[in-house]
Amino acid sequence: MPVADYARYCEMLDRARKGKFAYPAINVTSLTTANAVLKGLAESRSDGIIQVSTGGAAFASGSAVKDMALGAVSIAEHVHRVAERYPIYVALHTDHCQADKLDKYVIPLVEETERRRAAGKPNLFNSHMFDGSALPLKENLDIAVKLLERFRKNELILEIEAGVVGGEEDGIKASAAAKLYTTPEDTLEVAGCLNAVQGARYLLAATFGNVHGVYKPGHVKLKPSILRDCQDAVVKKYGEAARFYLVFHGGSGSELHDIHEAVDHGVVKMNIDTDTQYAFSRAIADHFFKNYDGVLKVDGEVGNKKAYDPRTYLSFAETALAERVKQAVNGLRAAGTTMMK
Ligand SMILES: [Zn+2]
């Protein structure tokens, strides 16, 4: 049993919230990066989540094709095949998809899952994110409810976002700071709308000062206590069953005490991209700088085939990414928690 099915994915999320740990959700863009995540998870005996962004999926389909849905299918099919060889469960997820990209990304992937289910095959993905955080909350939730109804029929879990995660595109200007914090009122709206779709499951990316990318210390003021306030408000109004399963976006570069506090307040999934991108590239840079005259044909020489064979440096990168995944697993208290017997 390689990629978790719906029941196992639900169990993974339940165990995490109850046990106060979280799964790393690592963005991948290729076979090598996907393999690296599986290796890191397996070596730390943790289940986890592999996710693909719209840009990462377009990249995976090839620069001449640039079809995000196709690239996501390719990566997911690869993971379904190789994950059987690893002693952990992995779930497959698609990252941020804004409303204007739904028709090119999430919907074709849901259709793919529907075709597979009709043919008696397992789902391709376990969950998809719809990011309507740039829309007014009501519009965001109207779209989310429609998606959730369709997801429920297909045993898919929806991730939504309320509040805005800052980052490269949004900048980190002080004037924008207010939008970086979800309010308990916002999350009550979320619960009111989405809990009406009975029997469906969703994850909520609430924002508490997070930004995408890594910033130098002092730039980012995380307030994980916002997550506690949101949980308290929703439980008070709708009861314990409404307690959120939260997602931590823009977590790269966060301090451990903030990560732990967020996990204590119900974060079950932490997205990691920037830190693993760096780990991957760092290993390649190291190889190229150390083997300058091997990877290049300098002064009429012929270089060193072993040094410029992409397998050489991509294996270093794979190992480095896997090590970074293990570090993430430890920070999220997930080491040794796999459900695989
Ligand atoms: Zn994000």
Side-chain angles (χ1 to χ4, degrees), residues 4-52:
D5 59 12
Y6 179 69
R8 278 219 167 68
Y9 190 29
C10 290
E11 195 185 342
M12 273 170 65
L13 301 172
D14 293 343
R15 287 175 85 243
R17 206 184 63 184
K18 195 157 172 265
K20 294 200 188 305
F21 65 91
Y23 299 105
I26 315 282
N27 284 72
V28 305
T29 56
S30 62
L31 300 194
T32 306
T33 47
N35 295 341
V37 175
L38 290 166
K39 179 179 158 86
L41 291 172
E43 287 177 4
S44 38
R45 301 287 296 145
S46 169
D47 303 321
I49 300 166
I50 283 180
Q51 63 186 17
V52 191

Side-chain angles (χ1 to χ4, degrees), residues 281-302:
S281 298
R282 173 75 177 73
I284 294 173
D286 206 36
H287 174 76
F288 275 58
F289 287 137
K290 279 184 188 154
N291 297 282
Y292 175 80
D293 53 357
V295 295
L296 297 179
K297 298 180 177 179
V298 182
D299 295 336
E301 290 298 321
V302 294

Side-chain angles (χ1 to χ4, degrees), residues 58 60-68 70-71:
S61 75
S63 58
V65 175
K66 285 191 190 147
D67 179 332
M68 50 180 83
L70 180 63

Side-chain angles (χ1 to χ4, degrees), residues 47-324:
D47 303 321
I49 300 166
I50 283 180
Q51 63 186 17
V52 191
S53 70
T54 53
F59 172 83
S61 75
S63 58
V65 175
K66 285 191 190 147
D67 179 332
M68 50 180 83
L70 180 63
V73 169
S74 298
I75 288 183
E77 286 187 337
H78 170 73
V79 172
H80 273 271
R81 284 172 188 275
V82 297
E84 300 193 15
R85 304 289 182 93
Y86 295 84
I88 43 108
Y89 290 104
V90 67
L92 284 161
H93 174 81
T94 59
D95 201 6
H96 291 268
C97 182
Q98 287 82 12
D100 63 343
K101 292 198 185 111
L102 283 172
D103 286 338
K104 281 192 180 150
Y105 197 47
V106 168
I107 298 301
L109 293 175
V110 173
E111 286 167 353
E112 177 66 29
T113 286
E114 287 170 343
R115 272 194 293 276
R116 282 168 189 251
R117 293 174 71 83
K121 291 185 194 158
N123 284 10
L124 189 60
F125 279 90
N126 298 86
S127 51
H128 302 284
M129 181 188 191
F130 158 58
D131 179 1
S133 61
L135 303 170
L137 188 60
K138 164 129 186 18
E139 242 173 276
N140 180 353
L141 293 177
D142 283 348
I143 297 173
V145 165
K146 282 204 191 80
L147 285 171
L148 192 58
E149 283 165 351
R150 187 165 178 185
F151 278 30
R152 175 178 56 181
K153 290 183 202 136
N154 291 293
E155 297 186 308
L156 290 166
I157 293 178
L158 175 68
E159 178 178 329
I160 65 147
E161 180 165 324
V164 175
V165 178
E168 283 179 350
E169 291 157 21
D170 303 87
I172 42 165
K173 296 183 203 105
S175 59
K179 286 156 71 187
L180 295 178
Y181 302 99
T182 307
T183 63
E185 292 72 32
D186 288 346
T187 58
L188 287 178
E189 287 288 311
V190 169
C193 290
L194 297 193
N195 293 359
V197 186
Q198 287 184 4
R201 288 194 66 151
Y202 67 92
L203 304 166
L204 171 64
T207 56
F208 51 103
N210 358 16
V211 293
H212 289 123
V214 173
Y215 294 88
K216 285 184 180 165
H219 273 285
V220 181
K221 293 263 180 293
L222 284 180
K223 288 190 201 165
S225 60
I226 284 179
L227 302 178
R228 183 197 55 216
D229 297 344
C230 292
Q231 296 282 31
D232 288 351
V234 81
V235 169
K236 189 169 170 223
K237 181 155 184 192
Y238 295 108
E240 185 57 39
R243 183 178 292 279
F244 293 115
Y245 291 79
L246 297 171
V247 183
F248 186 163
H249 279 247
S252 286
S254 298
E255 292 190 55
L256 209 52
H257 67 93
D258 282 330
I259 294 174
H260 286 166
E261 191 183 342
V263 171
D264 285 341
H265 298 326
V267 164
V268 293
K269 169 178 181 277
M270 178 166 154
N271 291 1
I272 301 166
D273 191 9
T274 309
D275 283 345
T276 40
Q277 284 176 335
Y278 181 72
F280 192 82
S281 298
R282 173 75 177 73
I284 294 173
D286 206 36
H287 174 76
F288 275 58
F289 287 137
K290 279 184 188 154
N291 297 282
Y292 175 80
D293 53 357
V295 295
L296 297 179
K297 298 180 177 179
V298 182
D299 295 336
E301 290 298 321
V302 294
N304 176 354
K305 181 173 158 56
K306 276 213 175 70
Y308 61 73
D309 181 337
R311 286 174 297 182
T312 304
Y313 53 87
L314 289 177
S315 333
F316 294 143
E318 180 186 333
T319 299
L321 203 168
E323 288 303 317
R324 187 60 189 78

